[in-house]
Amino acid sequence: MNGNNESTTSENFIKAIIREDLKTNKWGGRVHTRFPPEPNGYLHIGHAKSICLNFGVAQEFGGITNLRFDDTNPTKEDVEYVDSIKEDVKWLGFDWADREYYASDYFEQLYEYAIELIKNGKAYVCDLSAEEIKNTRGTLTEPGTESPYRNRSIEENLDLFQRMKAGEFPDGAKTLRAKIDMKSGNLNMRDPVIYRIKHTEHHRTGNKWCIYPMYDYTHCLSDSIERITHSLCTLEFEDHRPLYDWVLDELGVYHPQQIEFARLNLSYTVMSKRRLLQLVEEKYVDGWDDPRMPTISGLRRRGYTPESIRDFAERIGVAKRENTVDLALLEFCIREDLNKRANRAMVVLDPVKVIIDNYPDDLVEELEAINNPEDASSGTRKVLFSKEIYIERDDFMENPPKKYFRLSPGQEVRLRYAYYITCTNVVKDDSGNITEIHCTYDPETKGGSSPDGRRVKGTIHWVSANHCLETDVRLYENLFLNEDPMQFERFQDNINPNSLQIVNAKAELFLKNAKVGDKFQFERKGYFCVDSKYTTSEKLVFNRTVTLKDSWAKVSGK
RNA sequence: UGGGAUGUAGCCAAGUGGUAAGGCAUCGGCCUUUGGAGCCGACAUCCGCAGGUUCGAAUCCUGCCAUCCCAGCCA
């Protein structure tokens, strides 16, 4: 499958800034961005927004984008995460070429810069404990107080910092702090810690270091080292920008521009790594790639395409306003993509048997079906038809309401690509459940149209009872019942108990050749893909990506 | 009188002094061998509120209100 339905790119304030910078030649005509994940969890749809922004904007203006792992905290990070992140960015369709960087690659240089800060009297070694630092930081409305170690001599600071690096002190015994302003209204400027001691092995540098630089200190310098032009990050870092600028200015080094935009929130889900990690660890879901998760890997397994996610990212725009995008927009994007690309199949999810009494007992006919009415090049296929078939249980009603135009006693419907049938009677078991529906067919309507031109309102899908494939189909609903799960004391309490339902379905025979990841529209039901986790050589398992729009559900008030 | 930011339709979002783009959702209608898709139409006398400047204000000024972020040796 291939296709592309991305809408034309829209304007946003970041593009406006870049366009202006290009006009004034601020960066010598360069546009160089970076996507800087911390490898401490899987990427989610919110990261996809950032990825599409960073790579997209560079692409649009002839620039390039680095992939940089912000790996300055060895206690939280792991290679499992760097591998998944690389896979996800690649899958989304972006290429960082050979520019795969790690903040940890810069540890040596960062250390040298720290020494320079010390020499300039702009940083000092502080012996205060974490608790004491917290207590002297002040509050939102009151200034902090200066550390008693703030005015150590440069020589002493140099000596101590070197000994911190050499491993002479235990975790937490000392920190290196920037000497800025304990009275600043911006808490980030109250002598922030820029190095801490952690005798922890790092997934890349091993045991080489026992001091690790903090985010604020590392990020701006990494951007500087990589000659980034526009450093795009989310709103919560707005308060950190003065520190970003301070470090680079004090060191007098290349100085990128940090620009903040609003992170994505999506209705009916949660979107923080911490919360997603909780869902995984507390076993509410099957893992980071559970199809109900808003992770890239979850969406991939669910059947979303990279094109649909890029289209979504384009449609939601980029601005500074806090936002919660309607899940319906994401669903719209995948439907629109798959409508044009996915071949159709008839699959009965909740089967009930129909017997066509006047159809010859042993006859089996081959009928022609269109693979995708939206794509003439997709061709046709043959479907087997016989006396006994399955239809959806809810495509029959004994006492139908007004405007119900599927099968009911005396009402004629079309079996898609087959014949018109009319229900004559039903057979029930002792508890009143329908076990068989008896019908007659009109042999003149083969293919699904009648020579006399009479109209039937309803068309339903079916499979031949003796010519079908058993498959498991996993039907997903939103993981959460409320559009804003975070309004609950415990967001876990809002989990939808019906977010996963597994049914045994009867599918058209040709589906047996489907491969993991293949996508189909099950006619009248939705889009489905072959699951990568539970499919075996014996049994195909499908995931429902999204339902089709169902205007009958609205009419019937469901 | 802590600091920073944001308020345009149910949800996103353009617009930057010349009289409110676009998308999703919703609601009508047409069409249809998927109650799908497609097509057509409706949907802000008004831009958080109140004043002011101007021939003219969502855009400029003043004041107010609301919401979000910040007190990790996390990122």
Side-chain angles (χ1 to χ4, degrees), chain A residues 503-522:
Chain A
V503 300
N504 184 252
K506 313 279 188 188
E508 236 183 287
L509 238 28
F510 85 92
L511 248 14
K512 70 175 183 295
N513 298 317
K515 301 286 178 291
V516 164
D518 283 357
K519 295 164 178 63
F520 301 91
Q521 182 196 101
F522 292 176

Side-chain angles (χ1 to χ4, degrees), chain A residues 18-32 61-63 227-230 254-255:
Chain A
I18 293 176
R19 212 169 268 123
E20 181 65 18
D21 289 348
L22 254 16
K23 208 168 82 189
T24 61
N25 207 36
K26 181 174 175 183
W27 308 100
R30 292 187 308 122
V31 175
H32 198 158
F61 295 102
R227 290 300 198 256
I228 298 303
T229 55
H230 304 269
Y254 174 89
H255 193 151

Side-chain angles (χ1 to χ4, degrees), chain A residues 469-472 511-516 530-542:
Chain A
L469 180 73
E470 306 260 333
T471 84
D472 276 356
L511 248 14
K512 70 175 183 295
N513 298 317
K515 301 286 178 291
V516 164
V530 179
D531 184 58
S532 57
K533 185 164 178 175
Y534 295 110
T535 293
T536 65
S537 50
E538 283 75 48
K539 187 161 216 166
L540 271 179
V541 176
F542 285 94

Side-chain angles (χ1 to χ4, degrees), chain A residues 181 183-190 238-243:
Chain A
D181 178 10
K183 293 191 290 293
S184 173
N186 181 343
L187 297 255
N188 296 118
M189 299 299 271
R190 321 242 262 227
E238 222 150 16
D239 284 343
H240 296 245
R241 184 166 12 107
L243 181 50

Side-chain angles (χ1 to χ4, degrees), chain A residues 346 359 364-370 380-386 389 415-419 445-448 462 464 508:
Chain A
M346 292 197 286
Y359 193 84
V364 177
E365 290 185 273
E366 273 195 340
L367 303 170
E368 186 170 63
I370 295 165
T380 61
R381 67 182 186 283
K382 298 294 186 191
V383 190
L384 298 183
F385 184 81
S386 66
I389 62 172
L415 294 174
R416 178 139 234 223
Y417 300 125
Y419 294 97
T445 58
K446 183 170 178 176
W462 53 274
S464 173
E508 236 183 287

Side-chain angles (χ1 to χ4, degrees), chain A residues 140-241:
Chain A
L140 293 178
T141 52
E142 297 158 329
T145 53
E146 295 186 349
S147 164
Y149 306 98
R150 196 173 202 259
N151 295 307
R152 288 217 248 231
S153 70
I154 288 171
E155 291 65 34
E156 189 182 5
N157 280 320
L158 253 14
D159 175 61
L160 257 14
F161 187 51
Q162 181 277 122
R163 288 164 60 193
M164 280 169 63
K165 181 194 179 203
E168 286 189 32
F169 311 110
D171 288 8
K174 293 184 187 327
T175 57
L176 183 71
R177 292 228 254 166
K179 190 191 282 191
I180 308 180
D181 178 10
M182 290 306 292
K183 293 191 290 293
S184 173
N186 181 343
L187 297 255
N188 296 118
M189 299 299 271
R190 321 242 262 227
D191 288 12
V193 170
I194 58 177
Y195 266 93
R196 76 290 216 184
I197 301 171
K198 274 180 193 282
H199 291 271
T200 303
E201 185 171 317
H202 186 279
H203 64 99
R204 299 201 93 225
T205 61
N207 291 306
K208 180 167 184 211
W209 297 88
C210 63
I211 56 172
Y212 292 96
M214 299 285 289
Y215 165 84
D216 286 304
Y217 177 73
T218 307
H219 202 91
C220 56
L221 285 169
S222 300
D223 283 346
S224 177
I225 290 165
E226 294 177 16
R227 290 300 198 256
I228 298 303
T229 55
H230 304 269
S231 180
L232 313 180
C233 62
T234 44
L235 251 30
E236 66 271 26
F237 292 102
E238 222 150 16
D239 284 343
H240 296 245
R241 184 166 12 107

